Amino acid sequence: MEETEAPVEETVERQRLRSRLVDLLNSYASEANHIGHAFAGRNHLHGPDLHALLAVMHAERAGTPLSPGRLGEAMGLSSGATTAMIDRLERDGHLRRVRESTDRRVVHLRYAESGMSLAQAFFTPLAPRTDAVMEQFGVAELQVVERFVQGMVGALTSYRDELRDRGQRNSP
């Protein structure tokens, strides 16, 4: 009898955790969105601007700077909309276009110093709070969380791409 109870209990606990984790991820996304909107509002950024800045920052950290075309693809924007957004962000001191290759046609997007300074000034007070949470976990636990969050981001990205593909196929 114990053999059948353990899997049932585990299944119930897995369902409870699934529901709770989805709720927590939704709450996290909502709170992060509120903070992002506050940053955007204080710095006179449009909605997609913050997403573009984050994409550029993540690409720089990964050592794979974005080109304007790759940024547009990542955001699902037309070439014209991407250019207008980059022009605005560059004019406001958030981004800069850099030609880093011998092929002068290749342009990469980099965070501008003034844009980075604004972001650091705004987000630095958050760091001790997130650091305090992370200090409660060991390295092995954080590695599991990292793997989990990477998987969830991958699932969302895959679904987003699927939705974009469907939308393009359904466009007139």
Side-chain angles (χ1 to χ4, degrees), residues 70-141:
R70 284 187 36 224
L71 176 63
E73 286 173 22
M75 296 190 59
L77 297 175
S78 69
S79 176
T82 302
T83 298
M85 180 179 60
I86 292 169
D87 287 346
R88 184 174 57 251
L89 290 170
E90 188 175 41
R91 183 177 55 248
D92 292 343
H94 296 288
L95 282 184
R96 56 191 171 89
R97 290 177 171 103
V98 179
R99 287 179 169 76
E100 300 169 316
S101 140
T102 54
D103 183 348
R104 301 289 295 157
R105 296 170 296 174
V106 176
V107 173
H108 289 122
L109 301 171
R110 298 284 187 174
Y111 237 102
E113 277 303 312
S114 62
M116 186 59 77
S117 295
L118 284 173
Q120 286 176 334
F122 183 87
F123 290 103
T124 294
L126 179 59
R129 294 173 176 138
T130 58
D131 289 346
V133 172
M134 287 192 215
E135 286 172 11
Q136 298 174 33
F137 298 88
V139 170
E141 291 172 304

